[in-house]
Amino acid sequence: MRVSLEWLSDYVDLSASPDAHELAAQFASIGLEEEDFFGPEVTGPLVVARVLSLEKEKHSNGKTINWCSVDVGEDEPRGIVCGAHNFVEGDLVVACLPGAVLPGNFEISARKTYGHVSDGMICSLRELGLGEDHDGIIVLKDLGLTGEPGDDAIKLLGLDHTTLDVNVTPDRGYQLSMRGIAREYALLKNQTFNDPANIDVPEPSLDGYRVDLEDTAPIHGQHGCSRFTAMRVDGIDAQGSSPYWMQKRLLEAGMRPLSLVVDITNYVMLELGQPLHAYDADKLGSKITVRRARAGEKLTTLDDVERKLHPEDLLITDNYAGTPAGDPEQDFNEAHYGQRVIGLAGVMGGEATEVSETTTSVIIEAAHFDKVTIARTARRHKLPSEAARRFERGVDPHLGPAAAMRCAQLIHELAGGTIAPEVTVVGSVPEPTVIPLLADAAAKRVGVDYTSEQVENALTAVGCKVDHAVDGQSTLAVTVPSWRPDLTGPEDLIEEIARVNGYDQIPSVAPQAPGGSGLTHRQKALRTVSNLLAHVGLTEVLTYPFTADTRSDALLLEADDPRRTMVRLANPMADDQPLLRSHLLATLPDAVNKNLGRGFKDVFVFETGLVTQPEAQATATGTFAPGYHPTEEELATLRSAVPPQPLHAAAVMTGKIERLGVWGKGRNVEATDAIDLVHRIAGVLGLTLDVRASKKAPFHPGRCAEFTLGDTVVGHAGELHPKAIENLGLPARTCAFEVDLDVLFAHSLERAWDGALSTYPVSRQDVALIVDESVPAADLARALREGAGPELEDLDIFDLYTGDQVGEGKKSIAFRMTFRAADRTLTADEASALRVKATDNAHAKFGVEVRS
């Protein structure tokens, strides 16, 4: 919220805070943190000047300039060259004299141009940072200003003002107004403030403009519009522009002046915090109906965008019968529902009833809309308007009539016309919230010994009414003010007591470290895996978990592959990525491509993260109203609807795994490197995985390994399929792996081995086995282990041969078997016997023959 200190001084006495930076620090002490300062940007001589004469000169470049003589309050006039033509002799303008500095650090000096020495510059609004208008220079009478030559134009134009930009937290919507900030300053300095909403409003009348409130589908039981105020002003002149003082304040607040009536509605919104809308009364029907949207309805909003409406959208409609023929949008709405949609309630109005220069009568709307309804509509249609910003944070439901009257008074003052005596107010305001609070609750919770007087004064300062309950002094009955919907329980009141009395009064106490064994087994295991992958040279990355169906196509996933079933987000960050990934390889290649695009050739990245694996498309199970705490049964229902989200680890590797150097030519990554990494992950977790050949997209069908733990598939590794590599834009022979860490962690127990390492020597036996080519080496190794028994400590493959010596369709695999006993030294005969047992078991299962 941008706070003009000059504007703020209308409501509070700022003399107690002469320094803006000191004021910012004081605001921060009560929760209004400063984000930026906008101070004076013009320095040096900027004065009012009268144009004494001007001579038009046409130059060879086709441009006509004015050679002006201007009175700047000195003994002699100055000559200035000006290219604008919107002024005449006798006009008062703004002259910037040599030595001045304009916004953007633009220094002014006398310089020769167009054959003259221009002794200064006649300024436009844009050159002074007062807007974007650069078509002509400032003529004071056009701004409703006057002065004498030589007067300080910096003060006259308000260029000496300071604006403070403060951060307003989402729960304090009342601070999004000058009224709310003034209330906070008065609280800070123990002042009373001039409340701009303290306006006499006529009593509602039955013969005012008719408004009906209909809501057949309230959200969380809250009706979309609880109160609607309408007021009429007739006979206005909407052609003029808003006065300079109003335009300046709007600009300082970060809003662009548009037209007189619109500027007034925006001004009152900034002043009071109540969003307003003005309708051209002659373009409006005899009745407004506030209701939810229906199927097929559309609306063209003021930004000239046609929008398809959602059943949750709250609409402003009328019964206007003069819709131009051939407008398909309104033809549909009227034909089906007999009503014309004229606005998205609380977000943006429609074109049909827009106020223009020909408007002579206006209907002013000041309504109170449900914050959830407005927030959803604004996000759904991507319309983050200033009105929606305030409604979704909470607007004072009592404020509508005063805001409408304030707006009507300003229209009457600046555009003429007559305020109609009939005032429409339909709906009701909620009953005030009363919160019981133990008198010593704040002291116990905050750790500061607040007195009862400090507690009551703090609550009174924020607008609460404090009464003592029937049990005397021990409990307070605190009535919450209407502009503080965020105060819903004792904890909120305690926060206000701490804020008003000063956060600096709260002692800083270092928390004591909790007892326990530190990290969980899962946390330790995850760190172990991450450290291993980082240690071997991979870089950890974090990718967004959003993807699209097209990525599944690119990865060559089969139509029935369960990884194609993904959760679709109701409100995705990007329309082209509306799904939650079901595996890490759906998003990890993006990190590889980003690095390749920056010139890297050897990219080895890994990620550990959650994936979402629904068995079917997830469906919503219902929502709850804000502040409602679900029961255990409701929580169980919600949790049951959340699909499994296992933790995975994956890596994508391309380029040289061994770099080129004096030690050799280097080596490109291969499928075996990815397979080895999975084995190493299992190894650091104390596990041994079974491996077998597999055909699993997106891997190459002949270079893919599948890892299992018992009957559970843990993951896959190998080289990516050439077509998938092409689709993803990756280099040839890119390798990858992905494993389910949850499965590994569940089987990896804390190391608690109570045995002893054998000190006896090993005995090694080599054996070459001839077997059918279709038999996986891993299955053969498993059979050897089963046959040899516990004395087989290690088993390695050191040779593979296919050829004429073993016959067609056969292969020879050579194993090195390492035996060791725990209690003795094995003899050669004992080791040989164990080898024979192992090979006999392999022969029984696969028909192997020992190669001599």
Side-chain angles (χ1 to χ4, degrees):
M1 172 70 185
R2 292 189 179 186
V3 182
S4 165
L5 300 188
E6 179 271 337
W7 191 356
L8 184 63
S9 65
D10 286 355
Y11 316 116
V12 290
D13 180 9
L14 290 181
S15 61
S17 304
D19 182 78
H21 291 273
E22 179 183 345
L23 173 59
Q26 293 170 344
F27 270 147
S29 70
I30 58 172
L32 280 167
E33 296 183 0
E34 162 247 330
E35 290 192 332
D36 205 351
F37 279 97
F38 301 92
E41 294 186 87
V42 178
T43 60
L46 187 75
V47 299
V48 174
R50 186 181 300 279
V51 180
L52 300 177
S53 65
L54 59 86
E55 299 177 11
K56 295 187 180 296
E57 298 179 357
K58 188 168 184 179
H59 289 262
S60 58
N61 61 1
K63 185 175 181 180
T64 300
I65 60 96
N66 293 312
W67 170 237
C68 306
S69 175
V70 296
D71 179 4
V72 295
E74 299 173 341
D75 293 337
E76 298 292 332
R78 293 193 182 222
I80 298 178
V81 173
C82 181
H85 300 282
N86 64 316
F87 64 102
V88 296
E89 293 179 0
D91 280 344
L92 289 175
V93 296
V94 176
C96 188
L97 305 183
V101 180
L102 299 185
N105 200 30
F106 182 65
E107 298 183 6
I108 301 300
S109 61
R111 63 189 182 94
K112 188 171 183 180
T113 180
Y114 291 104
H116 301 280
V117 175
S118 184
D119 200 12
M121 183 175 74
I122 302 177
C123 301
S124 69
L125 288 171
R126 190 170 73 177
E127 289 162 344
L128 296 179
L130 293 173
E132 295 301 318
D133 187 1
H134 197 56
D135 294 335
I137 53 93
I138 297 171
V139 179
L140 292 185
K141 66 180 180 181
D142 293 342
L143 300 181
L145 302 176
T146 188
E148 294 296 329
D151 286 352
D152 183 3
I154 291 179
K155 186 174 183 62
L156 179 66
L157 295 174
L159 297 173
D160 56 345
H161 295 175
T162 297
T163 298
L164 177 63
D165 193 359
V166 295
N167 179 31
V168 175
T169 55
D171 61 331
R172 299 184 185 274
Y174 71 97
Q175 293 178 345
L176 290 173
S177 67
M178 297 303 298
R179 181 192 188 213
I181 298 297
R183 192 188 301 279
E184 295 293 85
Y185 184 84
L187 175 153
L188 183 67
K189 297 297 183 180
N190 196 25
Q191 294 182 7
T192 58
F193 81 105
N194 177 25
D195 189 352
N198 188 14
I199 300 173
D200 292 331
V201 181
E203 290 295 324
S205 56
L206 297 177
D207 53 351
Y209 186 81
R210 183 178 172 185
V211 177
D212 291 341
L213 306 182
E214 298 177 0
D215 193 350
T216 58
I219 299 176
H220 301 319
Q222 298 293 322
H223 286 275
C225 180
S226 59
R227 199 182 196 207
F228 194 108
T229 300
M231 193 171 293
R232 185 182 181 109
V233 184
D234 295 312
I236 69 170
D237 179 8
Q239 296 185 30
S241 59
S242 52
Y244 176 75
W245 62 266
M246 180 176 286
Q247 293 189 36
K248 184 68 169 64
R249 288 183 171 183
L250 291 174
L251 288 168
E252 289 170 343
M255 298 190 74
R256 184 167 59 93
L258 297 172
S259 62
L260 179 56
V261 174
V262 174
D263 289 352
I264 291 173
T265 59
N266 286 336
Y267 181 86
V268 175
M269 176 183 68
L270 292 170
E271 181 181 52
L272 302 182
Q274 168 69 57
L276 301 166
H277 190 75
Y279 302 93
D280 187 325
D282 295 330
K283 301 175 183 177
L284 202 62
S286 60
K287 179 183 73 169
I288 278 179
T289 301
V290 185
R291 61 167 175 82
R292 300 283 175 179
R294 297 163 183 162
E297 288 188 298
K298 300 177 182 179
L299 170 68
T300 299
T301 45
L302 288 172
D303 56 356
D304 199 29
V305 175
E306 183 184 82
R307 303 182 184 276
K308 295 181 179 180
L309 304 179
H310 187 275
E312 282 189 353
D313 291 336
L314 191 69
L315 306 181
I316 308 295
T317 67
D318 73 347
N319 59 348
Y320 183 69
T323 305
D327 184 339
E329 172 186 312
Q330 297 303 340
D331 285 350
F332 177 90
N333 295 340
E334 292 181 10
H336 288 74
Y337 307 115
Q339 293 173 330
R340 178 180 61 161
V341 180
I342 59 175
L344 278 173
V347 179
M348 185 175 286
E351 287 184 330
T353 57
E354 181 181 6
V355 173
S356 66
E357 291 184 352
T358 61
T359 298
T360 57
S361 298
V362 294
I363 299 290
I364 302 166
E365 166 204 302
H368 185 265
F369 298 116
D370 170 48
K371 60 175 66 177
V372 175
T373 295
I374 302 306
R376 290 185 181 182
T377 296
R379 284 158 177 74
R380 184 181 300 115
H381 295 284
K382 296 180 174 59
L383 278 174
S385 66
E386 288 293 327
R389 183 183 177 207
R390 284 160 175 79
F391 277 124
E392 67 184 47
R393 284 163 174 78
V395 172
D396 184 354
H398 290 262
L399 195 55
M405 177 55 73
R406 172 69 169 146
C407 181
Q409 290 174 344
L410 285 173
I411 292 176
H412 168 71
E413 176 185 337
L414 302 176
T418 303
I419 302 173
E422 300 84 14
V423 178
T424 299
V425 180
V426 296
S428 60
V429 295
E431 291 294 323
T433 301
V434 179
I435 302 173
L437 177 70
L438 293 174
D440 60 350
K444 290 181 177 179
R445 180 63 62 89
V446 180
V448 177
D449 191 15
Y450 297 120
T451 65
S452 58
E453 183 179 5
Q454 285 178 304
V455 169
E456 293 188 31
N457 288 345
L459 294 174
T460 303
V462 298
C464 295
K465 179 185 176 184
V466 181
D467 295 309
H468 293 284
V470 293
D471 60 347
Q473 297 292 325
S474 62
T475 304
L476 303 176
V478 182
T479 304
V480 175
S482 59
W483 61 85
R484 294 299 304 271
D486 57 304
L487 302 181
T488 60
E491 291 77 12
D492 300 319
L493 299 178
I494 292 172
E495 181 182 355
E496 290 300 288
I497 294 168
R499 184 174 74 96
V500 174
N501 284 289
Y503 292 134
D504 57 336
Q505 301 301 311
I506 303 174
S508 298
V509 180
Q512 183 178 356
S517 59
L519 300 178
T520 65
H521 170 62
R522 176 188 172 92
Q523 291 170 327
K524 291 177 183 177
L526 178 58
R527 291 191 181 190
T528 299
V529 172
S530 296
N531 289 340
L532 166 69
L533 295 174
H535 178 73
V536 298
L538 277 68
T539 300
E540 186 169 14
V541 297
L542 179 67
T543 60
Y544 287 114
F546 311 120
T547 186
D549 284 325
T550 53
R551 179 54 56 92
S552 296
D553 297 334
L555 292 171
L556 310 178
L557 302 189
E558 298 290 342
D560 59 348
D561 193 310
R563 289 173 294 175
R564 277 189 175 272
T565 302
M566 291 179 276
V567 173
R568 183 172 296 274
L569 298 171
N571 187 24
M573 293 180 63
D575 291 338
D576 60 341
Q577 292 184 323
L579 307 175
L580 284 176
R581 68 186 176 195
S582 59
H583 58 124
L584 293 181
L585 290 182
T587 59
L588 194 52
D590 296 333
V592 178
N593 278 321
K594 184 172 292 187
N595 283 277
L596 292 170
R598 283 160 174 74
F600 293 95
K601 295 182 179 179
D602 307 319
V603 181
F604 292 73
V605 296
F606 78 95
E607 179 175 7
T608 59
L610 298 178
V611 298
T612 307
Q613 297 180 335
E615 296 181 358
Q617 181 63 43
T619 56
T621 58
T623 56
F624 304 100
Y628 172 76
H629 193 283
T631 64
E632 288 299 325
E633 293 77 12
E634 290 169 335
L635 286 173
T637 302
L638 287 174
R639 293 188 181 109
S640 66
V642 177
Q645 294 178 285
L647 178 66
H648 279 204
V652 177
M653 303 174 287
T654 184
K656 290 188 177 297
I657 194 170
E658 295 177 5
R659 304 295 295 274
L660 173 69
V662 296
W663 50 84
K665 296 182 179 180
R667 179 175 68 83
N668 287 329
V669 66
E670 299 174 355
T672 53
D673 295 308
I675 295 170
D676 179 62
L677 281 177
V678 177
H679 280 303
R680 297 180 70 170
I681 289 173
V684 296
L685 297 174
L687 300 172
T688 300
L689 301 178
D690 294 325
V691 61
R692 61 190 176 213
S694 177
K695 296 181 180 180
K696 182 78 170 181
F699 294 98
H700 190 298
R703 299 169 188 160
C704 173
E706 181 176 87
F707 298 90
T708 58
L709 193 59
D711 296 329
T712 304
V713 176
V714 174
H716 296 82
E719 183 181 309
L720 294 179
H721 194 290
K723 186 62 177 178
I725 289 175
E726 179 185 345
N727 294 339
L728 297 171
L730 298 174
R733 309 300 293 270
T734 296
C735 299
F737 74 79
E738 180 164 356
V739 294
D740 188 332
L741 291 180
D742 278 351
V743 174
L744 296 178
F745 293 169
H747 289 81
S748 62
L749 303 176
E750 296 280 0
R751 299 295 180 89
W753 182 58
D754 57 0
L757 292 175
S758 174
T759 60
Y760 295 95
V762 300
S763 177
R764 292 187 175 90
Q765 298 272 333
D766 292 346
V767 63
L769 303 177
I770 300 174
V771 69
D772 290 341
E773 281 188 324
S774 61
V775 177
D779 292 348
L780 190 57
R782 190 180 304 109
L784 292 174
R785 286 186 180 277
E786 291 174 355
E791 283 80 10
L792 180 59
E793 184 178 274
D794 202 4
L795 183 66
D796 297 312
I797 298 174
F798 67 88
D799 185 56
L800 172 66
Y801 171 76
T802 57
D804 296 339
Q805 297 183 24
V806 296
E808 186 177 355
K810 300 286 186 177
K811 62 183 176 183
S812 171
I813 304 177
F815 291 91
R816 176 158 293 151
M817 309 175 75
T818 302
F819 298 99
R820 191 199 311 253
D823 56 351
R824 69 190 189 283
T825 300
L826 291 174
T827 66
D829 291 340
E830 288 176 324
S832 297
L834 291 172
R835 184 199 65 202
V836 171
K837 287 176 60 180
T839 55
D840 287 347
N841 189 58
H843 175 76
K845 289 193 172 185
F846 302 108
V848 303
E849 297 178 7
V850 178
R851 184 181 178 193
S852 57

